[in-house]
Amino acid sequence: MKRKLNQDDAPAAAPEREKKKKISQSEDKESEPEPEPSFPELGLDPRLVQAVAKQGFEKPTLVQRKAIPLALQGKDVLCKAKTGSGKTAAYVLPILSSILRRKATDPTRFTAGLILVPTRELADQVYKAIQEFSTFCAKEIQPAKLTDNVADAVLRSLLANVPDIVVSTPARAWKSIESSALSLRKLQFLVLDEADLVLSYGYDEDMESLSRSMPKGVQTTMMSATLSSELDTLKGIFCRNPTLLDLNEEFGAEDEKLTQFYVKCGEDDKWLISYLIFKLQLIKGSCLIFVADIDRSYRLKLFFEQFSIRSCILNSELPINTRIKVIEEFNRGMYDIIIASDEKSEVFADEAAEKEAESKNGSKHAEEDAKQSKKKRKANKDEEYGVSRGIDFKNVAAVVNFDLPTSSSSYTHRIGRTARAGRAGIAISFVIPKDLYGKHKPTSIKSCENDEKVLAKIMRSQAKINRKLEPYNFSKSQMEAFRYRMNDALRAVTKVAIREARTKELRQELLRSETLKRYFEENPAELSHLRNDGELGRTTRQQAHLKHVPDYLLPKDGKTALTSQDVGFVPFRKLDKDKKHRKGGKKPGRSFKVGGRGGKRDPLKTFKVRRKTK
Ligand SMILES: Nc1ncnc2c1ncn2[C@@H]1O[C@H](COP(=O)(O)OP(=O)(O)OP(=O)(O)O)[C@@H](O)[C@H]1O
């Protein structure tokens, strides 16, 4: 059957292209590069090509051009390609195409495809992508996702319909197999999206169990922007001699539309700089801010509220429906700022460090400690939460690493939430130098202890893919004028206020919960109690004077720019080596648009900053 697939599914236009190539080579020795195949030329089912066109995809991306033909030929593929480069379509389309082809002659129903992802947010996104790609063949393709919060009976009836493709986290897939609700007996296609994460922590046992319940010869695709050593293990378990596509290498610097900066500063300075960036609207467009933990996310949100800067929160404590809703609303442009706690990445990094420590000293204690810390982490959190991996936030102008992640792969995935699908974007990361760590107790956080070391690792790993991070220094003197306001705001955001914000958020979720609606109808007293609780709750001290930036604090240029619709505020001075001696004064603030297609436009260039001279 595989052999047949090879012949039948080979891209129809390939021989034609080969012929053209030969002709053009003989006509002109310095021939032009081979034309890139279009979607119809990839050999996909025409209904899928139609759906792709409906989504506005004009031509396949690099990963789609390379991976789709291989998958259609029945090959296992191990693919490393840039974040936001279109990997989802690269693995979903060939599976759909093969199922459609088979169904044309054999209408038997069975689950032919299993797509495993590390988080429930990603499962939701992939499921929606499948639905969109099968718009013109919805009757033939029935997908299911196993990550919703539904009763077992509901899940069972969903699976009793024998979906063609199942999208799930490994844990939930295994649970359904164990309970005999899902059968993989006739499985043909397996995908591990964000493969390194799926394989590297928490899911290892589930993956082993899953591998045992699969038939031999399942065609496997593994995708990630960061493929690591764990893949060798997986490769051994799941793949038969896979084709390795390392497309990060093929991605030229000229294609780069992501600009990366780091800001070395003190622990309290990052609060000050963030306040300035967002209050003075130095970055235009939507922003995604990553912080290290849940408390920190509320703290930053409450801090911003002191200045009337609106933001919303994403963390593993929120119910999955709320998380999905926040992402959808952000994508519809309802919020400008999301503050996301990136617990998953931190766990990932911790786990890697633990493994390293274990292998170094091999002690029993280390193993025990590792288990304990794993248990601690699991408490109260949704282990299948994650927003730095794979989530397709739309039109993100900038990613701000308020707290630097602790591994370079986390960094790669976080910054990959901007500059997606050929758009431009910037990434700004705060880095606490070793000598400034622990100097401002109220804002100090353990995860930043080794920021400089992590930064060095990040720079090395980015350099491997032709990317670099540049330093930014903010003018201290101009920042100082705002410091007392920052301190006032920080003081108002007490631990109690954070705790209350956390419970308030959860209480609101309970009030909004569809599942509890019925219960509240039957128990109105409890509903009123829950509501009143909210009203009585203490809130953060509000300080009216912080809501506005007084004119006297604004430099002349900036004040004008701030009122303008399309000109970035320009309060900081750039002492670039080359430009230091340039006469003729400053250029007016340029307008910029981030997230648009086309040229590389860097909004932070509107800053006047001092480049580090060290
Ligand atoms: N051929 C195409 N033309 C235009 N846009 C595309 C194309 N393929 C995918 N996209 C869009 O690019 C965006 C990123 O795609 P996708 O989420 O699949 O990237 P990814 O490589 O999986 O990213 P990550 O590594 O973060 O998971 C999506 O909004 C998708 O709709």
Side-chain angles (χ1 to χ4, degrees):
M1 186 178 175
K2 285 278 142 53
R3 205 171 283 275
K4 198 158 182 288
L5 267 179
N6 273 345
Q7 289 159 357
D8 292 355
D9 290 348
E16 200 48 47
R17 274 203 313 281
E18 205 44 45
K19 217 170 33 188
K20 268 191 206 156
K21 191 177 156 195
K22 277 187 190 145
I23 294 168
S24 71
Q25 275 175 351
S26 58
E27 277 174 4
D28 176 10
K29 282 267 148 41
E30 290 162 49
S31 63
E32 290 155 22
E34 192 184 349
E36 290 165 359
S38 62
F39 275 111
E41 288 175 314
L42 288 177
L44 292 165
D45 186 281
R47 288 164 285 182
L48 300 176
V49 174
Q50 213 181 338
V52 156
K54 188 173 175 238
Q55 285 192 49
F57 294 6
E58 284 167 15
K59 53 181 186 151
T61 61
L62 176 65
V63 62
Q64 292 159 2
R65 293 198 302 274
K66 300 272 181 181
I68 291 175
L70 288 170
L72 286 176
Q73 286 164 34
K75 300 222 166 99
D76 285 356
V77 177
L78 241 165
C79 177
K80 183 171 172 178
K82 208 180 141 276
T83 49
S85 59
K87 292 190 282 297
T88 316
Y91 66 72
V92 166
L93 289 172
I95 296 181
L96 296 181
S97 197
S98 301
I99 293 177
L100 288 170
R101 181 176 290 268
R102 192 251 307 159
K103 283 202 167 179
T105 54
D106 168 17
T108 329
R109 296 193 73 144
F110 58 88
T111 297
L114 174 65
I115 299 174
L116 295 174
V117 296
T119 65
R120 298 164 80 186
E121 288 84 352
L122 192 51
D124 187 71
Q125 184 176 297
V126 172
Y127 176 75
K128 285 178 184 150
I130 295 173
Q131 283 181 318
E132 283 182 15
F133 290 131
S134 38
T135 307
F136 298 101
C137 48
K139 275 195 190 140
E140 281 89 343
I141 301 282
Q142 200 194 339
K145 78 174 135 98
L146 309 185
T147 48
D148 288 341
N149 264 348
V150 291
D152 282 355
V154 177
L155 202 61
R156 276 188 164 275
S157 76
L158 181 83
L159 291 170
N161 284 335
V162 197
D164 297 295
I165 305 180
V166 169
V167 185
S168 179
T169 56
R172 276 156 201 263
W174 175 238
K175 205 172 147 212
S176 294
I177 290 169
E178 225 180 359
S179 67
S180 307
L182 171 67
S183 164
L184 299 184
R185 219 165 41 84
K186 298 180 90 178
L187 194 77
Q188 294 180 317
F189 311 100
L190 170 69
V191 176
L192 308 183
D193 194 2
E194 306 296 341
D196 48 339
L197 199 56
V198 165
L199 296 165
S200 67
Y201 74 90
Y203 294 130
D204 33 8
E205 282 170 25
D206 299 316
M207 290 306 293
E208 265 181 53
S209 312
L210 280 168
S211 75
R212 282 197 297 271
S213 55
M214 277 175 210
K216 286 229 151 48
V218 173
Q219 184 186 330
T220 306
T221 303
M222 296 193 201
M223 294 271 181
S224 185
T226 48
L227 284 184
S228 50
S229 55
E230 285 93 359
L231 282 182
D232 290 337
T233 328
L234 270 131
K235 216 164 73 177
I237 305 174
F238 292 103
C239 291
R240 314 146 296 171
N241 202 15
T243 305
L244 181 67
L245 289 178
D246 190 345
L247 303 178
N248 280 341
E249 302 286 324
E250 286 193 33
F251 185 78
E254 68 280 5
D255 299 323
E256 188 60 80
K257 292 195 182 124
L258 172 71
T259 318
Q260 302 177 59
F261 298 107
Y262 65 89
V263 181
K264 282 197 178 179
C265 64
E267 290 166 316
D268 51 344
D269 286 347
K270 66 176 160 185
W271 296 80
L272 176 55
I273 295 170
S274 301
Y275 153 47
L276 289 172
I277 287 179
F278 292 103
K279 187 67 193 174
L280 304 181
Q281 297 170 0
L282 299 181
I283 297 172
K284 292 204 169 174
S286 308
C287 285
L288 191 52
I289 305 178
F290 284 108
V291 293
D293 62 35
I294 301 179
D295 257 17
R296 198 98 160 150
S297 63
Y298 283 100
R299 187 160 210 202
L300 189 58
K301 181 178 162 59
L302 293 176
F303 174 76
F304 280 165
E305 272 176 16
Q306 292 281 309
F307 304 109
S308 284
I309 301 169
R310 280 191 63 226
S311 63
C312 65
I313 280 198
L314 264 181
N315 63 52
S316 60
E317 255 181 13
L318 298 173
I320 179 68
N321 291 346
T322 310
R323 277 147 37 194
I324 289 172
K325 200 177 78 195
V326 169
I327 295 170
E328 280 171 359
E329 289 179 350
F330 180 82
N331 283 345
R332 286 207 302 271
M334 287 170 71
Y335 309 109
D336 277 341
I337 304 172
I338 289 193
I339 302 171
S341 65
D342 190 20
E343 303 132 58
K344 194 99 186 176
S345 286
E346 298 315 314
V347 172
F348 182 37
D350 283 359
E351 198 114 330
E354 278 162 13
K355 273 188 195 154
E356 203 179 317
E358 276 169 39
S359 68
K360 263 188 197 153
N361 58 27
S363 84
K364 273 207 157 185
H365 287 302
E367 216 171 290
E368 214 27 61
D369 290 351
K371 275 188 196 150
Q372 286 299 332
S373 67
K374 209 171 187 170
K375 262 193 201 160
K376 244 196 238 166
R377 282 194 307 258
K378 284 200 174 179
N380 301 326
K381 293 181 183 173
D382 180 353
E383 284 291 295
E384 294 173 333
Y385 157 84
V387 286
S388 65
R389 286 277 191 146
I391 299 300
D392 190 32
F393 291 99
K394 308 271 184 206
N395 301 327
V396 174
V399 167
V400 177
N401 283 316
F402 187 81
D403 297 319
L404 199 67
T406 49
S407 75
S408 59
S409 66
S410 299
Y411 177 85
T412 302
H413 289 281
R414 282 190 189 182
I415 62 166
R417 300 315 102 205
T418 185
R420 294 174 74 77
R423 290 168 185 272
I426 56 166
I428 308 168
S429 301
F430 289 108
V431 176
I432 308 295
K434 190 80 189 164
D435 55 332
L436 295 181
Y437 173 74
K439 293 287 182 303
H440 190 258
K441 290 279 181 273
T443 56
S444 188
I445 186 163
K446 182 91 178 97
S447 75
C448 293
E449 189 173 0
N450 294 312
D451 271 5
E452 280 183 312
K453 272 192 196 156
V454 178
L455 176 68
K457 269 194 226 162
I458 291 172
M459 290 174 101
R460 281 197 300 274
S461 76
Q462 292 295 308
K464 280 188 199 152
I465 47 172
N466 297 324
R467 286 170 160 182
K468 64 175 181 193
L469 285 84
E470 293 189 66
Y472 252 91
N473 268 354
F474 287 84
S475 157
K476 271 253 171 205
S477 59
Q478 286 188 38
M479 273 165 37
E480 284 316 308
F482 294 86
R483 189 173 292 276
Y484 77 94
R485 304 170 79 79
M486 182 262 312
N487 281 328
D488 271 3
L490 267 183
R491 269 195 296 272
V493 185
T494 59
K495 277 191 180 148
V496 177
I498 294 169
R499 205 171 53 230
E500 283 182 353
R502 251 173 117 151
T503 42
K504 195 173 159 197
E505 187 91 24
L506 290 176
R507 197 165 41 225
Q508 277 169 355
E509 286 315 320
L510 289 180
L511 288 170
R512 281 196 288 259
S513 161
E514 280 298 315
T515 328
L516 290 175
K517 216 171 176 175
R518 187 80 186 275
Y519 175 80
F520 286 138
E521 275 166 17
E522 287 162 12
N523 302 278
E526 295 216 14
L527 179 63
S528 134
H529 182 68
L530 202 63
R531 281 203 176 121
N532 291 339
D533 237 22
E535 281 157 22
L536 290 176
R538 240 184 303 174
T539 49
T540 325
R541 184 162 52 97
Q542 292 300 310
Q543 306 177 85
H545 70 284
L546 297 182
K547 308 271 180 218
H548 309 285
V549 181
D551 287 358
Y552 63 83
L553 282 180
L554 291 172
K556 211 167 122 267
D557 284 0
K559 201 175 118 192
T560 338
L562 200 61
T563 52
S564 158
Q565 278 300 304
D566 53 2
V567 179
F569 174 54
V570 193
F572 299 110
R573 189 162 295 278
K574 186 174 192 170
L575 292 177
D576 195 356
K577 257 190 201 156
D578 316 333
K579 294 183 185 162
K580 233 186 222 169
H581 310 293
R582 199 189 281 165
K583 295 260 161 82
K586 28 184 182 175
K587 281 187 197 162
R590 280 189 285 135
S591 71
F592 58 82
K593 264 193 203 135
V594 184
R597 276 168 201 285
K600 174 175 165 181
R601 301 174 106 189
D602 165 16
L604 266 187
K605 290 268 160 70
T606 56
F607 277 93
K608 287 185 181 155
V609 293
R610 186 153 26 90
R611 215 172 271 268
K612 208 161 179 188
T613 42
K614 236 200 280 178

